[in-house]
Amino acid sequence: GQQVMQIPQYQHVQEGEDFTTYCNSSTTLSNIQWYKQRPGGHPVFLIQLVKSGEVKKQKRLTFQFGEAKKNSSLHITATQTTDVGTYFCAGPPTGNQFYFGTGTSLTVIP
Amino acid sequence: NAGVMQNPRHLVRRRGQEARLRCSPMKGHSHVYWYRQLPEEGLKFMVYLQKENIIDESGMPKERFSAEFPKEGPSILRIQQVVRGDSAAYFCASSPPTFLGQYFGPGTRLTVL
């Protein structure tokens, strides 16, 4: 089945530093989605990428979809304490199942 | 437009009891998914339903677990004879027919004593 791997698993940064999480798939993806889950909260849909090489920005967040559509990244510029949480990527359904990545837990040190 | 609603938010059960978790999808969303999340872990797919139909339940244990999404009313995830290992957060998510992301409810935190 589809494997979606995320690295790193944990990341601690000083406030103001940049942060990047990577998502890698063993198969070509038709699209990829990103979600954020705050501690004690629920996942929140951030964005969906569809096109090869696509880059989308949401304020300080930059999302990229690789040319081969097998990997994706989320980059946060100048992190703030409000960025704390776990960031998940998710591939399109395999059959009817959605596979979420293992997540990257971001801690921002003030 | 209200978001995905789940209740109860917290549920405590003793071993052997039944747990019923409810999920009301967003208005206009006909697809419902249930996920389980253990502390410090990712989301594990359990079941995918559309109105009155179970589309894929391959992520759900065959024993003690069942799910439904009736024509009227919320989707229900039912766990019979709960065991301590069932303690987890259970999230419901919904999406419209033209899938553009899943919208999650606040979750039900189940604790089995």
Side-chain angles (χ1 to χ4, degrees):
Chain A
Q2 178 181 290
Q3 297 279 339
V4 179
M5 307 299 293
Q6 260 185 277
I7 54 170
Q9 188 175 359
Y10 300 96
Q11 185 78 59
H12 291 68
V13 299
Q14 290 285 133
E15 188 173 16
E17 291 183 337
D18 292 356
F19 158 77
T20 305
T21 174
Y22 301 90
C23 187
N24 298 294
S25 170
S26 56
T27 59
T28 302
L29 304 171
S30 59
N31 65 76
I32 195 160
Q33 299 163 21
W34 285 92
Y35 295 79
K36 176 185 177 181
Q37 184 176 23
R38 293 181 186 274
H42 59 277
V44 174
F45 174 71
L46 295 177
I47 206 161
Q48 177 171 279
L49 304 172
V50 178
K51 299 176 184 176
S52 170
E54 188 170 15
V55 177
K56 285 189 176 180
K57 291 192 175 185
Q58 290 179 352
K59 297 183 180 177
R60 294 178 295 103
L61 277 61
T62 302
F63 303 85
Q64 287 189 309
F65 200 9
E67 293 289 343
K69 302 182 77 171
K70 284 188 174 183
N71 54 68
S72 180
S73 65
L74 159 58
H75 180 83
I76 303 178
T77 304
T79 54
Q80 299 175 359
T81 54
T82 52
D83 296 325
V84 164
T86 301
Y87 293 84
F88 293 98
C89 61
T94 298
N96 295 300
Q97 286 203 25
F98 282 91
Y99 289 93
F100 280 76
T102 45
T104 296
S105 176
L106 172 64
T107 299
V108 179
I109 305 163
Chain B
N1 189 4
V4 178
M5 299 174 68
Q6 285 187 254
N7 67 81
R9 296 289 301 276
H10 301 274
L11 182 61
V12 179
R13 285 287 179 267
R14 296 191 180 279
R15 281 179 296 170
Q17 291 184 320
E18 179 180 286
R20 281 193 179 223
L21 288 60
R22 295 174 183 77
C23 169
S24 296
M26 285 181 71
K27 188 176 181 181
H29 288 195
S30 55
H31 300 220
V32 167
Y33 311 83
W34 284 93
Y35 294 86
R36 184 163 86 168
Q37 187 176 42
L38 294 171
E40 306 296 321
E41 293 190 10
L43 295 154
K44 183 177 181 298
F45 168 86
M46 297 182 72
V47 62
Y48 164 42
L49 311 103
Q50 294 180 21
K51 280 287 187 182
E52 299 185 275
N53 288 306
I54 297 175
I55 307 301
D56 188 330
E57 57 183 349
S58 58
M60 197 162 63
K62 290 188 176 4
E63 295 182 0
R64 302 187 300 107
F65 286 73
S66 63
E68 63 177 10
F69 189 14
K71 186 177 180 181
E72 301 290 339
S75 174
I76 295 175
L77 178 66
R78 183 182 176 205
I79 311 173
Q80 294 178 291
Q81 300 176 333
V82 296
V83 300
R84 288 215 174 110
D86 296 333
S87 295
Y90 291 84
F91 290 100
C92 162
S94 71
S95 69
T98 52
F99 179 78
L100 285 173
Q102 297 179 57
Y103 294 84
F104 282 79
T108 294
R109 270 97 180 147
L110 172 66
T111 302
V112 180
L113 301 177

